Amino acid sequence: MSAPSRATEQRSAPRLEPLALRRYTHLVRYSHFEADFDVLIDKAIAAITDGEPVEDEILGGYVNLASMVRAVSFREGKLLEQAFERLSKQNPDLVVLVQSLKLPLVKAAVESVTGNDWKHLDGVRLDCEAPAKGYYTPDLILVNRAKHLAFILDLKRSLASYGDTTRLEELKLKMLASAMILPDWLYKNHKRLMVDNVGVAIVDGASRPSDHASGVWALNEIDDLLEIDGAAACMAELRLRFGRRVQTLLEAEARGALGFVDPPVAPTPSRFRLRQSNKRSSLGVTSVAQRMREGPEPDRHDIFVPDDLFDEKEGSQDDEDDGRPVARIRVGFARRLLDA
């Protein structure tokens, strides 16, 4: 029997990027997680519709819609955390910690971060059992065992609401103070897991311009945090699909609040939902307010253009090390793993 030709081998081989175009050994595609992510989206949508809002004199008939919008913000954040965790596990060098992450805010660490430039704290490691005033709970902690590197991560669906407040700086302070005790905490609570470099990163799900020098990362840059090609593209596709489901849900609720009883058109891949027009202007564009003023016409078909198109586990180390944590710890805002 003759050997298969080169053309046959090329047709049967999976289509992957040439190694020259890839930055990391590990590669993921959305199709690898599609079934799992569909389940996560379904659960998030079910949770959004499960609430029972209390009557509100100001919101009136729109109280259900307002309740849904608030629920979307919370559920999107949880969805990002769950998807991020699953993607992280595709890099075998990473230990992904998501449970019981209650890091003590040691008084000495808080005072050190408050009164000094964090760059001057390089090499300082504090006891996690020292007197503390409160706790900080990150969304995830990633530990790269091969590089003895840890990341404290806080995922936000959007940092837009943090712009004119001090909340972002307060969050950074808590994260940096936690980073100073993290090596000791990992060693004592996670089978002598040792790190000598700790970075903190606030991941903005809306992928607005990042600022690594102050610890802010865009979601579309997470390939560099995880050392996994395609991770950011997977998260972008997840948000897109979740967004379509959410917009369909909100449209149905809005139509009900406005008194429209006809069911909404099923979502399409396009961001615009088109209907044939045989009347009105040459473009056939009609707003909801205009339709209410003029009244329904049974034989009229309009084009509706939405005002807002789209708003943009725990692992463990089985082999215990009898050594103690290193004395010098690097703490600071996260950098790409290649630069660590």
Side-chain angles (χ1 to χ4, degrees):
M1 182 176 179
S2 60
S5 65
R6 178 172 298 180
T8 302
E9 291 178 351
Q10 290 178 346
R11 286 195 300 269
S12 61
R15 296 185 62 185
L16 298 176
E17 288 86 347
L19 290 178
L21 299 180
R22 291 173 54 186
R23 295 176 296 167
Y24 303 111
T25 304
H26 310 291
L27 173 71
V28 293
R29 288 289 176 262
Y30 192 85
S31 58
H32 303 161
F33 302 89
E34 186 168 11
D36 190 16
F37 284 2
D38 283 347
V39 172
L40 294 180
I41 292 175
D42 288 341
K43 290 182 178 179
I45 295 296
I48 291 172
T49 59
D50 193 37
E52 296 182 359
V54 180
E55 291 185 5
D56 188 291
E57 294 181 356
I58 302 300
L59 296 175
Y62 299 96
V63 64
N64 288 343
L65 183 62
S67 177
M68 280 188 177
V69 172
R70 289 192 293 266
V72 167
S73 298
F74 175 77
R75 291 298 167 183
E76 182 186 352
K78 302 302 293 184
L79 180 65
L80 293 179
E81 292 176 26
Q82 294 168 338
F84 199 98
E85 174 195 353
R86 285 159 172 75
L87 291 172
S88 301
K89 292 181 178 179
Q90 300 309 302
N91 183 345
D93 290 333
L94 294 180
V95 176
V96 186
L97 307 179
V98 295
Q99 298 292 338
S100 302
L101 304 182
K102 194 174 181 181
L103 303 177
L105 293 173
V106 171
K107 291 182 180 179
V110 174
E111 293 171 357
S112 298
V113 174
T114 303
N116 299 279
D117 189 326
W118 66 267
K119 297 178 182 178
H120 299 156
L121 303 176
D122 187 20
V124 178
R125 176 174 60 85
L126 299 178
D127 186 351
C128 68
E129 297 177 352
K133 50 180 181 181
Y135 295 87
Y136 164 66
T137 303
D139 293 326
L140 298 101
I141 294 177
L142 300 180
V143 179
N144 189 301
R145 290 175 293 187
K147 297 184 177 181
H148 297 281
L149 167 68
F151 286 138
I152 298 177
L153 299 180
D154 205 304
L155 277 67
K156 302 296 183 186
R157 67 173 298 273
S158 174
L159 289 179
S161 62
Y162 287 75
D164 298 327
T165 69
T166 61
R167 290 188 300 152
L168 187 59
E169 293 305 317
E170 292 171 355
L171 175 59
K172 293 178 184 179
L173 184 149
K174 291 180 179 179
M175 296 178 75
L176 286 171
S178 300
M180 295 181 70
I181 60 93
L182 184 66
D184 189 58
W185 186 85
L186 288 173
Y187 184 84
K188 292 177 177 177
N189 294 280
H190 288 277
K191 298 185 177 181
R192 298 183 181 180
L193 192 59
M194 294 189 297
V195 298
D196 53 26
N197 193 356
V198 181
V200 303
I202 302 169
V203 180
D204 182 7
S207 290
R208 289 176 173 82
S210 60
D211 184 3
H212 296 178
S214 62
V216 177
W217 284 63
L219 187 66
N220 57 22
E221 299 173 318
I222 64 171
D223 289 12
D224 296 320
L225 284 175
L226 304 179
E227 289 193 336
I228 301 175
D229 278 330
C234 288
M235 294 294 280
E237 180 66 19
L238 174 75
R239 291 188 77 240
L240 178 64
R241 297 190 182 201
F242 178 66
R244 288 172 179 164
R245 294 282 299 276
V246 165
Q247 290 174 43
T248 299
L249 188 67
L250 294 179
E251 180 187 0
E253 190 62 39
R255 293 175 68 86
L258 292 170
F260 299 147
V261 295
D262 54 309
V265 175
T268 64
S270 173
R271 292 185 177 183
F272 294 93
R273 185 163 53 81
L274 301 180
R275 299 174 184 171
Q276 291 182 348
S277 176
N278 55 13
K279 284 188 177 184
R280 301 299 169 191
S281 67
S282 58
L283 293 178
V285 178
T286 305
S287 67
V288 173
Q290 180 180 348
R291 180 174 178 177
M292 292 178 65
R293 290 195 301 268
E294 299 175 357
E297 296 180 16
D299 61 345
R300 190 183 76 190
H301 300 279
D302 298 320
I303 298 176
F304 287 89
V305 181
D307 294 332
D308 188 3
L309 299 180
F310 193 75
D311 187 12
E312 302 287 31
K313 213 151 182 238
E314 180 168 348
S316 64
Q317 184 173 358
D318 296 331
D319 299 331
E320 296 190 356
D321 192 328
D322 293 332
R324 298 296 299 171
V326 295
R328 181 177 178 81
I329 304 297
R330 293 178 57 198
V331 173
F333 293 120
R335 295 292 188 270
R336 288 176 169 81
L337 292 181
L338 290 179
D339 299 334

